[in-house]
């Protein structure tokens, strides 16, 4: 006998899932408060998901700590289908690289328009919870209604839940830059150029000191201690870029100094991990010391800081990705021209 669709039970389960997700987020925040070093693990994880909100990243982290690249069923299908066309089987058939059978979805919050209807008692109720008669009158245009943005539950999957061969992961997931000192130096130079293109000057301090590593000024100038080695210079530069992007507004002026330092550290550590660098112990200690100085009851300030930082971090990653692509295209064009001349 076929199963009947129980709409009421489905809606109740959906609400329960939302409540469960909120509890998961709160538990993670509570754990961070008890052991700030766990935040460092989360920062490493969050660096991979610059296009997801903090609370959705927390949900992904709680359900699949090993996730590296997630997307909706449709998004991953598009990616894997395109790769399948590029890697046909010897007999010419397309391999199936899509989601594995039985893969368990990762639950996250997704934005959705929620419609409210006014019933005969002048009460506003959700369209999904209205009786059939009220829904019918709404479709006929006889019921007053309005819409607002809300959040429901959506499903995403990690790339490891597909049949895509591991050898093809690098075509989907960006590779890091390594961690050698010379590479730190090169990336610091790139970030310096990036700052210049966005009207931020980076220069050495006039006086040598062992107490100040760097300084972000409110006139779009970053000063770095010339005594810093390559690794320390990169970490400090990214920290001060975080200050430049985050903390020269009227709202930021009333923010506690420790919170500003925490946010700049989060930005620096997200950038370091995004591009494959280890977080220096000095940066980790600086972050933990400043977070411990915050009177962050319930982890509210930490959540606010992550949300604040992620907006600028996401913009930076997108800008860097675009500029890298443009540089690569220019390099290829120059190479083609050289090949034609040498032809």
């Amino acid at each position: 006998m076929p199963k009947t669709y129980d709409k009421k039970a489905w809606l109740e389960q959906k609400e329960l899932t939302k409540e469960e997700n909120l509890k998961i987020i709160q538990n993670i925040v509570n754990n961070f408060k008890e052991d700030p070093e766990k935040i460092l693990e989360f920062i490493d994880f969050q660096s991979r998901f610059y296009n997801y909100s903090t609370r959705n990243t927390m949900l992904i982290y709680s359900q699949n700590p090993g996730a590296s690249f997630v997307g909706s069923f449709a998004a991953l299908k598009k990616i894997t289908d395109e790769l399948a066309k590029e890697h046909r089987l010897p007999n010419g058939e397309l391999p199936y690289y899509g989601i594995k059978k039985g893969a368990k979805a990762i639950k996250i919050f997704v934005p959705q328009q929620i419609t409210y209807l006014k019933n005969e008692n002048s009460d506003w109720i959700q369209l999904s919870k209205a009786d059939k008669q009220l829904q019918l009158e709404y479709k006929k245009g006889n019921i007053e209604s309005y819409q607002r943005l809300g959040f429901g539950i959506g499903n995403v999957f990690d790339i490891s839940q597909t049949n895509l061969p591991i050898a093809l992961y690098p075509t989907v997931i960006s590779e890091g830059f390594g961690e050698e000192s010379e590479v730190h130096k090169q990336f610091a130079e790139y970030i310096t150029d990036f700052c210049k293109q966005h009207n931020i000057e980076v220069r050495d301090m006039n006086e040598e000191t062992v107490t100040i590593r760097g300084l972000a000024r409110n006139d779009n100038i970053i000063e770095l201690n010339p005594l810093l080695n390559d690794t320390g210079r990169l970490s400090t530069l990214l920290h001060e870029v975080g200050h430049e992007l985050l903390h020269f507004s009227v709202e930021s002026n009333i923010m506690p100094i420790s919170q500003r330092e925490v946010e700049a550290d989060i930005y620096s550590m997200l950038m370091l991990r995004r591009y494959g660098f280890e977080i220096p112990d000095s940066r980790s200690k600086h972050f933990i010391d400043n977070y411990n100085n915050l009177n962050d009851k319930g982890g509210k300030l930490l959540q606010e800081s992550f949300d604040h930082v992620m907006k600028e971090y996401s913009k930076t990653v997108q800008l860097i990705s675009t500029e890298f692509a443009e540089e690569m295209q220019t390099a290829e064009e120059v190479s083609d021209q050289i090949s034609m001349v040498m032809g």
Side-chain angles (χ1 to χ4, degrees), residues 45 48-49 51-52 60 64 67-72 75-76 79 106 108 156-159 161:
F45 184 84
R48 310 169 205 167
F49 303 103
N51 54 344
Y52 283 85
I60 297 168
N64 188 344
S68 56
F69 182 91
V70 301
S72 66
L76 286 178
I79 292 172
I106 300 169
I108 64 170
V156 293
F157 297 85
D158 183 54
I159 191 172
Q161 295 174 289

Side-chain angles (χ1 to χ4, degrees), residues 178-192:
E179 54 190 48
E180 294 82 3
S181 180
E182 181 62 27
V183 182
H184 286 159
K185 179 181 177 181
Q186 291 174 1
F187 192 61
E189 291 172 351
Y190 175 81
I191 294 298
T192 299

Side-chain angles (χ1 to χ4, degrees), residues 14-15 20 62 67 69 89 93 108 126 137 144 150 180 201 222 247 249 254 291 308 313 320 332 337:
K14 192 174 182 182
E15 289 299 319
E20 289 174 344
S62 69
F69 182 91
L89 299 174
E93 293 183 1
I108 64 170
Q126 289 186 30
E137 291 300 317
E144 187 177 351
E180 294 82 3
E201 180 185 352
I222 291 174
H247 299 140
S249 65
I254 62 175
Y291 182 68
H308 189 204
Y313 170 68
I320 287 178
E332 289 176 1
Q337 291 172 3

Side-chain angles (χ1 to χ4, degrees), residues 148-164:
R148 71 173 180 83
L149 183 66
F151 288 89
I153 298 298
N155 296 328
V156 293
F157 297 85
D158 183 54
I159 191 172
S160 63
Q161 295 174 289
T162 70
N163 289 290
L164 188 69

Side-chain angles (χ1 to χ4, degrees), residues 38-316:
K38 290 182 179 178
I39 306 175
L40 301 177
E41 297 177 13
F42 178 70
I43 288 172
D44 184 15
F45 184 84
Q46 189 171 27
S47 68
R48 310 169 205 167
F49 303 103
Y50 68 89
N51 54 344
Y52 283 85
S53 68
T54 299
R55 68 177 188 171
N56 271 341
T57 307
M58 286 182 176
L59 289 174
I60 297 168
Y61 179 67
S62 69
Q63 296 169 74
N64 188 344
S68 56
F69 182 91
V70 301
S72 66
F73 185 95
L76 286 178
K77 183 178 186 302
K78 181 179 180 181
I79 292 172
T80 55
D81 283 355
E82 289 177 355
L83 287 171
K85 293 176 183 177
E86 297 173 10
H87 298 84
R88 291 178 179 270
L89 299 174
N91 61 6
E93 293 183 1
L94 293 176
Y96 176 68
Y97 288 160
I99 304 293
K100 295 175 181 176
K101 185 177 181 180
K104 185 178 180 181
I106 300 169
K107 304 290 184 181
I108 64 170
F109 289 111
V110 293
Q112 58 184 207
Q113 288 290 343
I114 301 175
T115 301
Y116 288 83
L117 310 180
K118 182 181 280 189
N119 63 15
E120 63 275 10
N121 298 322
S122 296
D123 295 325
W124 292 97
I125 62 173
Q126 289 186 30
L127 171 62
S128 59
K129 297 181 180 179
D131 59 44
K132 291 182 179 180
Q133 184 59 38
L134 192 62
Q135 290 184 8
L136 182 60
E137 291 300 317
Y138 165 71
K139 290 179 180 178
K140 293 180 179 179
N142 298 331
I143 297 294
E144 187 177 351
S145 65
Y146 77 92
Q147 289 186 326
R148 71 173 180 83
L149 183 66
F151 288 89
I153 298 298
N155 296 328
V156 293
F157 297 85
D158 183 54
I159 191 172
S160 63
Q161 295 174 289
T162 70
N163 289 290
L164 188 69
I166 294 177
L168 295 181
Y169 280 18
T171 63
V172 180
I173 305 172
S174 299
E175 292 294 311
F177 286 87
E179 54 190 48
E180 294 82 3
S181 180
E182 181 62 27
V183 182
H184 286 159
K185 179 181 177 181
Q186 291 174 1
F187 192 61
E189 291 172 351
Y190 175 81
I191 294 298
T192 299
D193 290 339
F194 174 83
C195 288
K196 185 177 180 180
Q197 293 171 22
H198 297 278
N199 301 315
I200 299 174
E201 180 185 352
V202 179
R203 67 191 188 194
D204 285 341
M205 292 177 176
N206 291 328
E207 297 181 7
E208 294 184 354
T209 174
V210 294
T211 57
I212 302 175
R213 296 168 64 85
L215 177 67
R217 298 169 24 171
N218 62 2
D219 54 356
N220 286 1
I221 294 177
I222 291 174
E223 293 186 338
L224 298 176
N225 191 325
L227 297 178
L228 290 169
N229 59 25
D230 297 328
T231 302
R233 187 177 181 87
L234 175 58
S235 174
T236 302
L237 171 59
L238 291 172
H239 176 90
E240 301 305 337
V241 170
H243 278 310
E244 281 287 343
L245 298 177
L246 296 163
H247 299 140
F248 290 114
S249 65
V250 176
E251 296 81 5
S252 296
N253 286 336
I254 62 175
M255 185 184 294
I257 293 176
S258 290
Q259 187 174 1
R260 277 182 266 172
E261 290 301 310
V262 162
E263 291 189 352
D265 281 338
I266 290 175
Y267 180 88
S268 175
M269 292 187 291
L270 284 171
M271 288 291 292
L272 287 169
R273 295 306 299 141
R274 171 72 185 178
Y275 296 103
F277 299 112
E278 293 297 322
I279 297 172
D281 290 341
S282 58
R283 179 62 55 213
S284 300
K285 184 178 184 303
H286 186 265
F287 167 78
I288 291 173
D289 288 346
N290 278 283
Y291 182 68
N292 283 333
N293 287 334
L294 280 177
N295 183 22
D296 190 16
K297 294 181 180 179
K300 182 180 179 181
L301 292 178
L302 182 63
Q303 290 190 69
E304 290 177 356
S305 291
F306 266 115
D307 290 338
H308 189 204
V309 174
M310 284 304 294
K311 291 178 183 177
E312 293 301 331
Y313 170 68
S314 298
K315 291 178 187 176
T316 305

